[in-house]
Amino acid sequence: MKPAVVLLSGGLDSATCVALARSQGFDCYCLSFDYGQRHSAELDAARRVAAALGAVEHRVINFGLAQFGGSALTDTSIAVPTGGVQPGIPVTYVPARNTIMLSLALAWAEVLGSRDIFVGVNAVDYSGYPDCRPEYIAAFEKMANLATKAGVEGVKLSIHAPLIDLSKAQIIQTGTALGVDYGLTVSCYQADADGHACGECDSCRLRAEGFAAAGVADPTHYAA
């Protein structure tokens, strides 16, 4: 089994990504982040998912993007939008988050002797984030191969984004076929301490629409 570092937020997409990596014959080293987000319920979910999907190891890294704010996910003075998905880049975009996360995943991959990093970004049913686009992933992979000892020595590192062209329904169908228990996951931007979803934020809306379109029963735990 080849080692792969898999970014695991605890949400629906990243759980599917772990299952896909495992199905492709990788040993999964899951990496989650406490970056000062509104709640820790998604990190609890990440631990559940890592255990359920047989991760070899699961680590949680702390870095404090709340020190900068600038996003509804890291600054409680900025309200999480609940009026439906709108055009443009929303206030839930966290500046530089994916770049920092992928950079830390790159560091661990080098130490593990891994040539593969999996990330569950999606450019179809997503909320307009610039760091979820195919051109961003391609640019980061190019940088990674220029910036690392492994890359300089000719060991190519690949950034896998297997969900990037899938709809949310297709992601759910894929994960369901691979045995993912989506009841373990938390996607809500403002879930409560027990992981109950608000049902109104962009992430909740996209998730609910995805289950409906996939024809799969929605196992999300909603707040009363």
Side-chain angles (χ1 to χ4, degrees):
M1 300 283 279
K2 299 174 293 183
V5 176
V6 187
L7 297 186
L8 177 60
S9 69
L12 183 156
D13 294 344
S14 66
T16 307
C17 208
V18 175
L20 276 168
R22 187 182 65 171
S23 75
Q24 293 172 21
F26 289 96
D27 276 335
C28 295
Y29 290 78
C30 294
L31 191 58
S32 303
F33 301 93
D34 183 347
Y35 58 88
Q37 59 266 56
R38 280 179 173 262
H39 61 77
S40 61
E42 66 180 1
L43 292 175
D44 294 334
R47 294 182 183 96
R48 294 193 297 267
V49 169
L53 293 178
V56 175
E57 190 173 346
H58 177 224
R59 296 193 182 190
V60 179
I61 303 294
N62 296 280
F63 62 91
L65 288 180
Q67 296 178 76
F68 303 138
S71 167
L73 300 192
T74 56
D75 185 343
T76 56
S77 70
I78 302 174
V80 172
T82 56
V85 179
Q86 303 296 323
I89 300 173
V91 295
T92 51
Y93 162 65
V94 181
R97 180 180 60 178
N98 282 358
T99 300
I100 296 169
M101 291 179 176
L102 281 170
S103 296
L104 291 168
L106 176 60
W108 198 17
E110 267 212 289
V111 172
L112 291 171
S114 170
R115 301 180 181 186
D116 301 277
I117 295 172
F118 282 77
V119 58
V121 294
N122 177 254
V124 180
D125 285 347
Y126 82 125
S127 296
Y129 298 154
D131 53 3
C132 287
R133 297 174 297 158
E135 52 266 47
Y136 166 76
I137 296 299
F140 191 94
E141 181 179 280
K142 181 177 180 180
M143 181 280 296
N145 281 290
L146 291 170
T148 57
K149 178 178 181 290
V152 169
E153 292 179 347
V155 180
K156 184 180 186 298
L157 184 134
S158 297
I159 308 295
H160 303 266
L163 312 183
I164 202 158
D165 294 321
L166 301 183
S167 69
K168 193 66 74 178
Q170 290 172 321
I171 292 169
I172 290 167
Q173 288 167 341
T174 298
T176 299
L178 292 172
V180 176
D181 179 358
Y182 288 118
L184 301 177
T185 67
V186 173
S187 301
C188 180
Y189 290 147
Q190 50 187 357
D192 65 20
D194 296 319
H196 295 134
C198 72
E200 298 179 342
C201 68
D202 289 358
S203 187
C204 279
R205 290 173 185 269
L206 290 169
R207 179 179 169 115
E209 290 167 5
F211 277 109
V216 175
D218 185 354
T220 306
H221 305 287
Y222 291 100

